[in-house]
Amino acid sequence: MLDLAVLGVRIQALRHDRKLTLQQLAEAADVSVSMLSSVERGQKAPTIVVLARIADGLGVPLAELVTQPDDHQVIVRRAADQESMDEPGGWQRTVLTPVVPGVNFEWIHTTLPPDCDAGSFPAYAPGSHEYIVVRSGTLRLTIADTSVDLDAGDSAYFAADVTHAYANEGSEPCTYYVAALIMRPRAARTFE
């Protein structure tokens, strides 16, 4: 039997991986925002037609939404399937890890060109963590009001429930890896 809460978490994780808002996915799936929100919160059992539309909007097979994951399966993300994103300011990031619904872990490869500020990232939910390893160049890591410069081979850890920022103030490109466990706050349930 399909667990509605598990289904909702799976859809939300896939939506977040694709950097889609509820509104954007609702439009792509041709379903209402309220229906999509209710499904993600596990409050409404969608019809097979609605599920098929959501799967199409996410660009995944319907089976990926409705099958229970096997705890012993191996999930592979081939290099050709890794999504590289060119960000404003000229920097690039690539999510290396497979998307596993309900698992909030990402391993990301980032390249900042010389004299590039990637900007500030908001605090994530409590329980979030990030590990950084600098492969080449110099990275300025700012956590809340504290900055530290990391050189090639250096690594750092921080609780990611604070504002954090990455910048390359050097004259050479900086490449680094982020291993991130990002917790998402649970939506408050409303009872009518």
Side-chain angles (χ1 to χ4, degrees):
M1 176 173 246
L2 185 61
D3 182 326
L4 294 181
V6 171
L7 174 65
V9 167
R10 188 174 297 148
I11 291 169
Q12 187 178 59
L14 289 166
R15 179 173 62 78
H16 285 157
D17 180 62
R18 285 152 178 75
K19 309 293 186 242
L20 295 172
T21 64
L22 272 171
Q23 179 70 39
Q24 290 168 327
L25 178 55
E27 288 173 7
D30 195 26
V31 298
S32 71
V33 172
S34 62
M35 169 59 85
L36 181 58
S37 177
S38 294
V39 170
E40 282 193 0
R41 289 180 284 142
Q43 294 179 333
K44 194 171 270 187
T47 65
I48 194 69
V49 171
V50 169
L51 275 178
R53 288 179 179 174
I54 293 171
D56 286 345
L58 290 167
V60 299
L62 176 60
E64 188 172 328
L65 291 184
V66 297
T67 55
Q68 296 293 348
D70 177 0
D71 288 340
H72 302 290
Q73 79 180 35
V74 175
I75 300 171
V76 175
R77 186 174 206 171
R78 301 284 180 201
D81 297 328
Q82 294 170 355
E83 298 173 44
S84 290
M85 291 148 274
D86 293 320
E87 301 289 351
W91 60 284
Q92 183 182 63
R93 67 187 170 101
T94 303
V95 178
L96 304 171
T97 46
V99 175
V100 181
V103 176
N104 301 321
F105 176 81
E106 287 185 332
W107 189 10
I108 303 164
H109 175 258
T110 303
T111 301
L112 299 179
D115 203 28
C116 177
D117 186 343
S120 182
F121 294 83
Y124 296 120
S128 298
H129 307 275
E130 288 195 19
Y131 293 85
I132 312 295
V133 177
V134 178
R135 183 170 176 229
S136 64
T138 301
L139 177 69
R140 169 151 294 176
L141 175 63
T142 303
I143 310 302
D145 296 327
T146 302
S147 292
V148 61
D149 290 327
L150 303 171
D151 295 319
D154 292 346
S155 62
Y157 159 83
F158 64 94
D161 58 354
V162 295
T163 303
H164 48 285
Y166 308 93
N168 176 9
E169 297 178 354
S171 59
E172 300 293 324
C174 173
T175 59
Y176 62 96
Y177 293 95
V178 177
L181 176 63
I182 306 302
M183 304 310 292
R184 306 206 194 294
R186 292 185 187 260
R189 288 197 157 215
T190 56
F191 298 96
E192 299 173 15

